Amino acid sequence: MKHYYNIFTFTLLLTLCTQLSFSQEDNSNRWSFEAGLSAVDLYPVGENTPQGDYFDEFFNLNDHYNVGYYLGATRNFTSNLSLSARGTVNEISKWGDLGKADESVLVDNLKYYGLDAMVNYSFGQGKLQPFIAVGGGYTWIEEGPFNTFSKTSNSLVGAGTANGSVGVKYWFSDKFGVNLQTTYKHSFEDYLPKHWNHNLGLVYKLNKEEPEVLETEKVTITPSRWSFEAGLSAVDVYPVGENLPQGDYFDEYFNLNDHYNIGYYVGVTRDLTNNLSITAKGTVNELSKWGDLGKADESVLVDNLKYYGLDGMVNYSFGQGKLQPFIAVGGGYTWIEEGQYNTFSSTSNSLVGAGTVNGSIGVKYWFNNKVGVNLQTTYKHSFEDYLPKHWNHNLGLVYKIGNGKEKVSNDRDGDTVPNELDLCPDTFGLVSLGGCPDTDGDGVTDKDDLCPEVKGLVEFGGCPDTDGDGFPDNKDNCPKVKGTDNGCPVKVVEPAPVAVVVPAVVGQRKVYFNYDSSKLDETAKSILDDIAKNIKADKSNFSISIQGHADSRGSDNYNYNLSLVRAQAIKDYLTSKNIANSLISISGKGETEPVAPNNTEAGRAANRRVELTIDITAK
């Protein structure tokens, strides 16, 4: 079995793989999915009864349409170009008619399965989007009375198909639309009938919000998109999967000496977008090498048969640099003079033509804005047995009218912000910050950041506030200690002691705290260390009474508990210095015994204290 569909499968896979390899990362999801009804019609395909002529009773749903289901997925590559994959499940009960009262010829619900891939090109970007598509696939139909292939009854038989399609999509919203499409599927095997497949389905697009893209290139000229080319054409009828003197697919594919027939071609191309174009090409050649019979690989020669070809192709190129690989699909009409291995009529040496479907890959290299070279290979599949399938290789010089669309960079630092909008046009930066960098990532641009290498706060010009006291570190005299005096705790000035005579055995010391805190600072610890040292040095008996106090901010109950916690903190510190716990008593006074007014910061700082009264009795 000759699987011609391999050529189409190869072309479609190349389309997908090459596009993915050349495409850049895309933030938007370009996938859409669809499902709906599929109607298979085997009648208007240009065959003998019970099938009919092309397009005969094309819209006769009642007599010829077999309704099933389909599922599909589509990947958009550009705003116009996409690739679709589709699966179809159906049952065939209507095969056609015999012309007798237009009664349908029925078959016994033959199973139908199809897997197809199509390259689509849509016109327009509005709600209504007509499109065309070409591709191929593989279809299975259960055998019946009009498609018997084997002795096994009801076996499922499949073959490759070449597909052409037209349709229209209508989008109700950004996500939902409807697809109406008709596809002609041409089978490469006689046992699988040619047929039409009509689809009506609901489409769902997985679209995400695309980020705003700023234009960073300015178009300075928009010249003609036409280019012309001419060069050598090499026709090879050998490696096309036929019997001797032709050979298997790709056999001796590069054997120029034995199989290539050299002629000439001219072509013209019209660019539609940066990637999509259409080409018309004419070829003139003479065929003297037909293949070989395997005997010492000697070429089988024919008598310089005339060859003419007219072809049209839709091209999709990858990249915009000097080197531009591309693929192409299309068709045309080819004439070959009859000879020993392609006899059609009794008239000797008559010129016989037939339509072809073409698939092609190639590469263009541009030496400059005007001149380039094109290397391309095209497989041309004939729809008629009398015209052989063949390869047509081209090597030609390309000349472009005008310089092409010339663009001038409008983004010197390459950060996607145009120069006229870029606040830092010569330094790579962030779009969100007007094109300026932010080294420490604190949301303040380096040019405005007072601490550009340390992450800080916007309200402090990009500088941090480590202790959280409202003074940024660059202006905080005590950056690691919370305070209100230029970032430092307020210094408490002890009132001048009143000249009162007290017994030597009595002593009193004070320890101060920060607002709403019971934590001992270094000053407090120094005072307590001194007390513990003096008591241990003195061998007298002693007792220590500790009273905690607070300022007036907060409730009475809260301030009482806070003053008690402060007294306990002093006791815990002294016991850690080996002062006996039993000799220390504590109490809390809350805000009830202020030593200064509570309406100033200095007064409140004086009231946030613990008083230690030490009684020492001689032994």
Side-chain angles (χ1 to χ4, degrees), residues 488-538:
C488 292
V490 175
K491 295 180 180 180
V492 178
V493 178
E494 289 280 0
V498 180
V500 179
V501 178
V502 296
V505 294
V506 177
Q508 188 178 70
R509 301 295 296 273
K510 293 181 182 179
V511 174
Y512 295 92
F513 291 84
N514 286 327
Y515 170 66
D516 196 26
S517 173
S518 61
K519 184 178 179 181
L520 299 174
D521 60 18
E522 295 302 322
T523 301
K525 290 179 182 180
S526 176
I527 294 172
L528 296 176
D529 288 341
D530 184 59
I531 291 173
K533 178 180 178 181
N534 290 334
I535 287 176
K536 286 189 287 185
D538 193 332

Side-chain angles (χ1 to χ4, degrees), residues 197-256:
N197 189 3
H198 313 294
N199 297 128
L200 176 62
L202 192 65
V203 188
Y204 178 76
K205 186 185 297 182
L206 294 177
N207 61 332
K208 296 179 181 177
E209 183 180 355
E210 297 189 9
E212 182 181 359
V213 178
L214 298 175
E215 183 62 50
T216 60
E217 291 181 324
K218 291 183 178 179
V219 179
T220 57
I221 56 173
T222 307
S224 170
R225 289 177 171 268
W226 290 94
S227 62
F228 297 89
E229 60 184 287
L232 298 177
S233 165
V235 174
D236 186 357
V237 300
Y238 180 70
V240 292
E242 293 291 346
N243 297 327
L244 296 176
Q246 293 172 284
D248 294 334
Y249 277 113
F250 303 107
D251 185 21
E252 300 187 26
Y253 187 76
F254 298 103
N255 191 335
L256 283 68

Side-chain angles (χ1 to χ4, degrees), residues 348-368:
S348 177
N349 295 329
S350 62
L351 197 63
V352 178
T356 64
V357 59
N358 306 340
S360 180
I361 59 174
V363 61
K364 287 182 179 179
Y365 182 83
W366 294 97
F367 301 111
N368 53 44

Side-chain angles (χ1 to χ4, degrees), residues 17-28:
C17 295
T18 310
Q19 172 65 33
L20 292 177
S21 65
F22 276 86
S23 63
Q24 297 179 346
E25 182 180 357
D26 191 353
N27 291 328
S28 63

Side-chain angles (χ1 to χ4, degrees), residues 236-555:
D236 186 357
V237 300
Y238 180 70
V240 292
E242 293 291 346
N243 297 327
L244 296 176
Q246 293 172 284
D248 294 334
Y249 277 113
F250 303 107
D251 185 21
E252 300 187 26
Y253 187 76
F254 298 103
N255 191 335
L256 283 68
N257 187 57
D258 289 348
H259 303 308
Y260 281 26
N261 300 276
I262 306 299
Y264 306 95
Y265 84 96
V266 294
V268 59
T269 297
R270 176 66 165 88
D271 293 334
L272 303 177
T273 68
N274 288 336
N275 301 95
L276 197 70
S277 61
I278 55 175
T279 297
K281 190 175 292 182
T283 305
V284 177
N285 209 317
E286 287 190 349
L287 307 186
S288 60
K289 303 169 185 177
W290 200 266
D292 67 55
L293 297 174
K295 298 178 181 179
D297 283 338
E298 293 180 0
S299 297
V300 171
L301 304 179
V302 291
D303 189 18
N304 294 333
L305 306 178
K306 292 180 175 62
Y307 174 102
Y308 305 103
L310 291 175
D311 301 288
M313 305 285 279
V314 177
N315 317 287
Y316 185 80
S317 63
F318 305 92
Q320 293 298 308
K322 288 183 174 292
L323 190 67
Q324 297 178 5
F326 66 90
I327 60 171
V329 292
Y333 207 88
T334 299
W335 296 264
I336 299 180
E337 186 179 3
E338 289 188 272
Q340 180 180 354
Y341 301 103
N342 62 326
T343 301
F344 173 66
S345 65
S346 58
T347 304
S348 177
N349 295 329
S350 62
L351 197 63
V352 178
T356 64
V357 59
N358 306 340
S360 180
I361 59 174
V363 61
K364 287 182 179 179
Y365 182 83
W366 294 97
F367 301 111
N368 53 44
N369 290 331
K370 287 181 175 289
V371 181
V373 63
N374 178 33
L375 178 62
Q376 180 176 358
T377 183
T378 303
Y379 174 72
K380 301 177 69 172
H381 184 87
S382 170
F383 290 120
E384 304 292 349
D385 293 336
Y386 54 78
L387 187 83
K389 299 170 290 185
H390 57 281
W391 294 88
N392 188 1
H393 313 295
N394 296 135
L395 176 62
L397 197 64
V398 188
Y399 180 78
K400 185 183 294 184
I401 297 179
N403 294 325
K405 182 177 284 189
E406 183 177 336
K407 295 183 178 182
V408 178
S409 176
N410 190 34
D411 179 20
R412 291 198 298 271
D413 54 16
D415 58 7
T416 75
V417 181
N419 293 333
E420 65 269 18
L421 301 179
D422 199 329
L423 300 178
C424 305
D426 296 307
T427 305
F428 186 91
L430 304 174
V431 175
S432 59
L433 296 179
C436 289
D438 178 16
T439 301
D440 53 18
D442 58 8
V444 181
T445 61
D446 289 357
K447 69 183 183 64
D448 300 321
D449 200 328
L450 301 177
C451 305
E453 296 182 357
V454 181
K455 189 173 183 179
L457 302 174
V458 174
E459 58 265 33
F460 296 139
C463 289
D465 178 15
T466 302
D467 54 16
D469 58 6
F471 291 86
D473 289 359
N474 62 324
K475 297 182 179 180
D476 197 330
N477 293 335
C478 303
K480 296 183 179 180
V481 179
K482 190 173 183 179
T484 58
D485 184 10
N486 292 322
C488 292
V490 175
K491 295 180 180 180
V492 178
V493 178
E494 289 280 0
V498 180
V500 179
V501 178
V502 296
V505 294
V506 177
Q508 188 178 70
R509 301 295 296 273
K510 293 181 182 179
V511 174
Y512 295 92
F513 291 84
N514 286 327
Y515 170 66
D516 196 26
S517 173
S518 61
K519 184 178 179 181
L520 299 174
D521 60 18
E522 295 302 322
T523 301
K525 290 179 182 180
S526 176
I527 294 172
L528 296 176
D529 288 341
D530 184 59
I531 291 173
K533 178 180 178 181
N534 290 334
I535 287 176
K536 286 189 287 185
D538 193 332
K539 304 302 183 181
S540 302
N541 291 329
F542 61 89
S543 64
I544 303 175
S545 174
I546 302 175
Q547 287 185 353
H549 300 268
D551 63 27
S552 62
R553 286 179 290 183
S555 66

Side-chain angles (χ1 to χ4, degrees), residues 3 9 50 62 120 131 136 155 175 182 184 190 229 231 282 358 364 380 423 431 469 513 533 547 573 575 577:
H3 299 297
T9 304
N62 187 56
N120 316 287
F131 66 91
S155 61
K175 288 182 176 289
T182 184
Y184 174 72
D190 293 336
E229 60 184 287
N358 306 340
K364 287 182 179 179
K380 301 177 69 172
L423 300 178
V431 175
D469 58 6
F513 291 84
K533 178 180 178 181
Q547 287 185 353
Y573 190 84
T575 57
K577 300 298 181 179

Side-chain angles (χ1 to χ4, degrees), residues 30-57:
R30 292 176 173 268
W31 286 95
S32 63
F33 298 89
E34 59 184 287
L37 298 177
S38 165
V40 174
D41 186 359
L42 294 90
Y43 181 70
V45 291
E47 295 289 347
N48 297 328
T49 53
Q51 294 173 285
D53 294 334
Y54 279 113
F55 302 106
D56 186 19
E57 300 186 25

